[in-house]
Amino acid sequence: MTGEYRARMEDVLSLYNLPDDEKRPVICLDELPFQMLGEKVASIEMVSAIGVQEYELLGDYRLNHVLHGAQSAALWAVQNLVPHFGFLDNAFFNLSYARNFYDSDQRP
């Protein structure tokens, strides 16, 4: 523990001695893995939904599925059939990006 570390620690600890000020609240953090609150609240259950189909890309599941399938095929072809020397490996629009859309839509 160096002198600089102790000086910074004392600066932080001196914040506890400041008077309460609503304009400048002091937030204390601890490394404990839980919150120490006086009152407990019931947890809520989060439910997810697929979403409204009309607001999706083309508004129809089959058209969207065909489009995402074509996107996956085109990106596969570019990645595997066109020499790109690794420039497309970390591209944002890559094959895993397209497959995510194709595989994650669970509609009938």
Side-chain angles (χ1 to χ4, degrees), residues 20-71:
D20 291 338
D21 185 3
E22 291 183 11
K23 294 180 182 176
R24 297 179 62 195
V26 176
I27 299 173
C28 303
L29 302 176
D30 197 351
E31 295 178 7
L32 296 176
F34 55 87
Q35 291 183 338
M36 299 180 69
L37 299 176
E39 55 188 69
K40 296 187 180 209
V41 295
S43 62
I44 59 173
E45 185 173 324
M46 304 296 278
V47 180
S48 65
I50 293 177
V52 180
Q53 183 67 40
E54 291 81 22
Y55 296 122
E56 300 241 349
L57 185 63
L58 298 175
D60 182 30
Y61 163 75
R62 288 169 189 80
L63 288 174
N64 287 339
H65 207 63
V66 167
L67 182 66
H68 291 308
Q71 180 188 24

